[in-house]
Amino acid sequence: MLKVEKISVAYDGKDIIKELSFSIKAGEIVGVIGPNGAGKSTLVRAISRILQPQKGCIKYYDQDVYKTPAKLIAKSISVVPQATALDFDYRVYNLVLMGRIPHLGLFEPEKCSDLEIVEQAMKMTGVWELRNRFFNELSGGERQQVIVAKALAAQPSFLVLDEPTSHLDIKHQIEILDLVKSLNRQDQLTALIVLHDINLAAAYCQRLLVLKDGQLFFDGLPKDFITLENLDNVYGVQVKEILNSAGQPWIVYR
């Protein structure tokens, strides 16, 4: 579904991502982890056409995302950024409704089916009760849930989430990740999720991409990455122990 081929991305002449390559199959949930500054958010910006790589290319079903019309890509790929700031305040319902724009023609009004999809997305993410509130009045966690709802309203086949749990309490972290997992099982939604919490990444992602210094350190199963040696090598941290439950690793920090 997605193929990243030897991309290099730089800010102000400084290389952030260097010769990075990987691919994602349809139906996978892939986690991206690594220390601060490893290039995780830069990778999301590159995939979402915000920051074009200086070298290499990113292909979605063999089509270069930077040579494909933006509206066409937006019908299939939805992105949940790490933080969202709005200069003009919108009511929550109207903001989520914008998720349907890629599926509408120029000046075409929303149909009843579009409104039903928006309501469903808002109820799935727990923000239906907030529909008449203004976005900028919401807490950081509520805003994040609204942006996830907007992304799902587009009915994407590929969902990219950049630290979607960073502003959420434990309950809502689990709810959002459970929702992604449920959509993956029911609708074969493919997801690329940037996470800081390694335990959450191991619990919800079928595969991990581990970035270090802008390069791919590891690509494989969570249980194969989570070892004392790898955690020390990538994060420079020693853990107390690593537990296993039903084959799933769980880190116990000191």
Side-chain angles (χ1 to χ4, degrees):
M1 177 178 272
L2 186 81
K3 186 178 289 186
V4 174
E5 299 181 334
K6 295 184 177 181
I7 65 167
S8 295
V9 187
Y11 287 131
D12 297 326
K14 180 182 178 182
D15 289 334
I16 305 298
I17 291 178
K18 310 157 192 173
E19 297 282 321
L20 179 62
S21 297
F22 64 87
S23 60
I24 296 176
K25 295 178 182 179
E28 283 191 298
I29 298 179
V30 178
V32 180
I33 64 173
N36 291 337
K40 303 184 297 297
S41 292
T42 300
L43 173 61
V44 170
R45 293 188 186 102
I47 293 172
S48 54
R49 295 169 46 113
I50 294 173
L51 187 62
Q52 186 169 2
Q54 283 75 31
K55 298 178 182 177
C57 65
I58 301 171
K59 294 181 179 179
Y60 182 74
Y61 284 121
D62 292 327
Q63 299 296 314
D64 190 320
V65 299
Y66 284 91
K67 296 179 180 178
T68 305
K71 189 169 184 177
L72 191 60
I73 291 293
K75 286 183 178 180
S76 300
I77 301 176
S78 284
V79 179
V80 177
Q82 192 175 132
T84 301
L86 299 179
D87 294 328
F88 182 81
D89 208 359
Y90 290 91
R91 289 195 187 275
V92 167
Y93 184 85
N94 294 333
L95 184 60
V96 178
L97 188 60
M98 291 179 186
R100 297 302 301 161
I101 289 176
H103 299 275
L104 301 175
L106 187 64
F107 302 121
E108 180 186 359
E110 300 86 2
K111 301 179 289 294
C112 289
S113 58
D114 294 305
L115 304 183
E116 290 170 1
I117 290 167
V118 167
E119 181 175 345
Q120 182 184 25
M122 295 182 75
K123 287 181 175 178
M124 284 193 301
T125 51
V127 298
W128 179 245
E129 300 302 321
L130 303 175
R131 60 189 180 278
N132 293 319
R133 298 272 303 277
F134 283 100
F135 182 77
N136 287 337
E137 295 176 353
L138 304 180
S139 68
E142 290 170 333
R143 292 185 190 188
Q144 192 74 342
Q145 289 172 270
V146 169
I147 298 303
V148 172
K150 177 176 177 286
L152 293 178
Q155 292 188 307
S157 53
F158 185 52
L159 183 63
V160 182
L161 304 103
D162 188 5
E163 297 186 35
T165 62
S166 59
H167 297 290
L168 303 178
D169 58 34
I170 295 173
K171 176 178 181 291
H172 289 102
Q173 287 179 14
I174 292 172
E175 286 180 350
I176 290 296
L177 293 175
D178 277 347
L179 175 58
V180 173
K181 192 171 184 178
S182 175
L183 291 171
N184 169 261
R185 289 175 173 172
Q186 295 175 14
D187 305 324
Q188 288 297 295
L189 176 72
T190 306
L192 179 73
I193 313 175
V194 174
L195 290 166
H196 265 303
D197 191 312
I198 306 174
N199 286 326
L200 284 178
Y204 285 93
C205 300
Q206 301 153 359
R207 181 172 143 224
L208 293 182
L209 302 174
V210 183
L211 300 186
K212 181 183 178 183
D213 298 326
Q215 296 179 308
L216 189 62
F217 176 86
F218 175 89
D219 178 357
L221 300 175
K223 67 181 181 65
D224 293 332
F225 168 70
I226 298 179
T227 66
L228 297 175
E229 181 181 0
N230 282 340
L231 293 171
D232 189 18
N233 198 331
V234 174
Y235 292 95
V237 62
Q238 296 182 348
V239 301
K240 184 176 181 181
E241 60 182 317
I242 297 173
L243 306 177
N244 282 279
S245 175
Q248 197 68 264
W250 192 264
I251 301 168
V252 180
Y253 295 96
R254 292 188 184 278

